[in-house]
Amino acid sequence: MAIRKKSTKSPPVLSHEFILQNHADIVSCVAMVFLLGLMFEITAKASIIFVTLQYNVTLPATEEQATESASLYYYGIKDLATVFFYMLVAIIIHAIIQEYVLDKINRRMHFSKTKHSKFNESGQLSAFYLFACVWGTFILISENYISDPTILWRAYPHNLMTFQMKFFYISQLAYWFHAFPELYFQKTKKEDIPRQLVYIGLYLFHIAGAYLLNLNHLGLVLLVLHYFVEFLFHISRLFYFSDEKYQKGFSLWAVLFVLGRLLTLILSVLTVGFGLARAENQKLDFSTGNFNVLAVRIAVLASICITQAFMMWKFINFQLRRWREHSTFQAPTVKKKPTVTKGRSSRKGTENGVNGTVTSNGADSPRNRKEKSS
């Protein structure tokens, strides 16, 4: 009697498919560890670093400004822990939008694989751009950026930030850092990964640069402007997937995209090239966060100009491709004229009449048949 050996191999606990299907639950458990740590005195000090904003300073009230003391913030190395925690939150929110909104729409619309991935991308980004644009606009209005544009360069360095300002930058960094693991979770195609990495890297480079160089006022204005234009593009693409005849949104986006690039260059040159260049304090000082020196100003303007030129180059290629596709689709098809030949084909054509209809001239009447038989 043969004895069957029991297999000692156990299924892997954290396999590739398991992580892809349950990554939101895994990330939620990790985030809950930090939140539960706030409940215990031993772990509360470590958990606070991840959950709450760090480096706050309380300024005493003055007679000119306010009757209450103000709590402001500056940046430091502990902000990396806060960015990491809110990166986990961004992954959870991403999974919720994907499962409860986008996946349900995909099942109803029956998109192809290409449209499916693009629809998910535009759906996620349009939600983020709308939220960030509204939030940034609220900060601009509450801190009087619109009524007084000189606040972009006046009293530089802007090393002290309000709670809303710092939390906005922390959230932006967390969102774009969360895009790296999402490339794995969303099973992004290999040919699309380089484009996504460049896209994410440009956002992180400029947001982190504005945050670390204390150009947070200028960075906030440029982000709101850019996010509004990008929101129009992705919401237009969502409507295009539902109805391919919809083209008005892309036309509006094309105009605002060019205007957005011009406004970005104008505000950057006005702030960095004129406002900071005329400031009295132009000495490099890491302790106070003053980076207002010629080399830094040139590097900032060069990075902004190169990025805007790169975006315009991509925009022109995109418009040319759309124009070619539209022209080939709208090109009239030249109809060939039927050639009249002798024999059976010409006789058949005359019998069928015009456009295949039988006429009295082409078909034999009963009287004609009688004369022929005689």
Side-chain angles (χ1 to χ4, degrees):
M1 184 176 179
I3 301 173
R4 295 181 180 179
K5 295 182 180 180
K6 295 182 179 180
S7 60
T8 57
K9 294 182 180 181
S10 58
V13 179
L14 293 177
S15 62
H16 174 72
E17 293 296 330
F18 179 81
I19 294 175
L20 290 178
Q21 295 176 2
N22 303 278
H23 70 274
D25 297 332
I26 297 171
V27 173
S28 300
C29 293
V30 176
M32 285 300 298
V33 170
F34 294 109
L35 293 176
L36 292 174
L38 297 173
M39 301 175 61
F40 304 98
E41 186 177 356
I42 300 175
T43 58
K45 292 183 179 179
S47 298
I48 287 175
I49 299 175
F50 288 88
V51 178
T52 62
L53 300 182
Q54 302 299 308
Y55 305 106
N56 61 318
V57 176
T58 303
L59 298 180
T62 59
E63 296 180 357
E64 298 177 355
Q65 295 180 355
T67 58
E68 298 180 358
S69 59
S71 181
L72 300 177
Y73 295 82
Y74 59 96
Y75 67 82
I77 192 65
K78 293 181 182 179
D79 290 342
L80 294 175
T82 312
V83 169
F84 175 76
F85 174 78
Y86 286 100
M87 181 189 72
L88 301 179
V89 176
I91 294 175
I92 297 170
I93 296 174
H94 187 111
I96 292 173
I97 296 174
Q98 184 66 43
E99 182 176 357
Y100 293 99
V101 180
L102 298 178
D103 286 346
K104 291 183 178 180
I105 298 175
N106 281 320
R107 294 190 195 101
R108 292 180 181 179
M109 301 300 293
H110 302 288
F111 290 129
S112 61
K113 290 184 178 181
T114 305
K115 284 188 176 181
H116 179 82
S117 60
K118 291 182 178 180
F119 181 84
N120 290 337
E121 179 186 2
S122 293
Q124 294 286 349
L125 288 175
S126 60
F128 167 72
Y129 287 141
L130 177 62
F131 174 76
C133 188
V134 173
W135 187 9
T137 305
F138 173 78
I139 299 174
L140 292 177
I141 295 173
S142 61
E143 298 191 9
N144 298 324
Y145 282 70
I146 299 175
S147 60
D148 187 11
T150 59
I151 200 173
L152 295 176
W153 62 83
R154 195 179 64 226
Y156 181 85
H158 307 137
N159 51 355
L160 295 178
M161 297 170 281
T162 60
F163 175 83
Q164 291 288 341
M165 178 73 78
K166 181 167 182 175
F167 194 34
F168 179 83
Y169 273 95
I170 292 293
S171 302
Q172 299 305 304
L173 293 171
Y175 181 86
W176 291 111
F177 271 117
H178 111 282
F180 287 116
E182 285 296 339
L183 296 177
Y184 172 73
F185 296 146
Q186 298 297 323
K187 299 179 181 180
T188 307
K189 296 180 181 179
K190 291 183 179 180
E191 56 269 19
D192 293 337
I193 290 178
R195 178 182 64 86
Q196 295 284 349
L197 291 177
V198 172
Y199 190 72
I200 298 167
L202 285 175
Y203 273 108
L204 287 174
F205 174 75
H206 288 88
I207 295 172
Y211 186 66
L212 296 175
L213 296 177
N214 292 318
L215 293 171
N216 41 65
H217 293 183
L218 176 63
L220 177 63
V221 175
L222 297 184
L223 276 177
V224 170
L225 178 63
H226 177 73
Y227 283 169
F228 177 71
V229 177
E230 290 296 301
F231 168 74
L232 287 179
F233 171 75
H234 287 284
I235 201 69
S236 299
R237 194 158 74 161
L238 291 177
F239 283 113
Y240 174 77
F241 288 144
S242 60
D243 184 9
E244 294 187 355
K245 295 180 180 179
Y246 181 82
Q247 298 287 341
K248 296 180 180 179
F250 290 112
S251 301
L252 178 61
W253 165 76
V255 176
L256 293 178
F257 183 88
V258 177
L259 293 177
R261 305 286 71 78
L262 291 175
L263 284 175
T264 299
L265 292 174
I266 290 171
L267 290 174
S268 301
V269 173
L270 183 64
T271 302
V272 181
F274 291 95
L276 295 181
R278 296 178 180 180
E280 296 179 358
N281 189 5
Q282 296 190 16
K283 294 181 180 180
L284 185 63
D285 190 355
F286 291 98
S287 60
T288 60
N290 187 10
F291 300 95
N292 187 16
V293 292
L294 180 61
V296 175
R297 292 199 302 269
I298 292 175
V300 169
L301 286 178
S303 63
I304 294 175
C305 292
I306 291 173
T307 304
Q308 301 308 306
F310 173 74
M311 294 175 66
M312 280 299 301
W313 177 68
K314 298 286 288 183
F315 170 77
I316 292 171
N317 288 334
F318 174 76
Q319 292 297 327
L320 289 175
R321 186 170 64 252
R322 285 186 66 243
W323 179 76
R324 289 169 185 168
E325 293 175 356
H326 183 72
S327 60
T328 54
F329 180 77
Q330 295 292 335
T333 56
V334 180
K335 295 182 179 180
K336 295 182 179 180
K337 295 182 179 180
T339 57
V340 179
T341 57
K342 296 181 179 180
R344 185 178 178 182
S345 59
S346 60
R347 181 182 177 185
K348 187 177 180 180
T350 55
E351 289 179 355
N352 289 335
V354 182
N355 295 330
T357 59
V358 180
T359 59
S360 60
N361 295 328
D364 291 335
S365 61
R367 185 178 180 180
N368 292 336
R369 291 199 210 104
K370 190 176 179 181
E371 291 177 355
K372 287 180 181 180
S373 62
S374 61

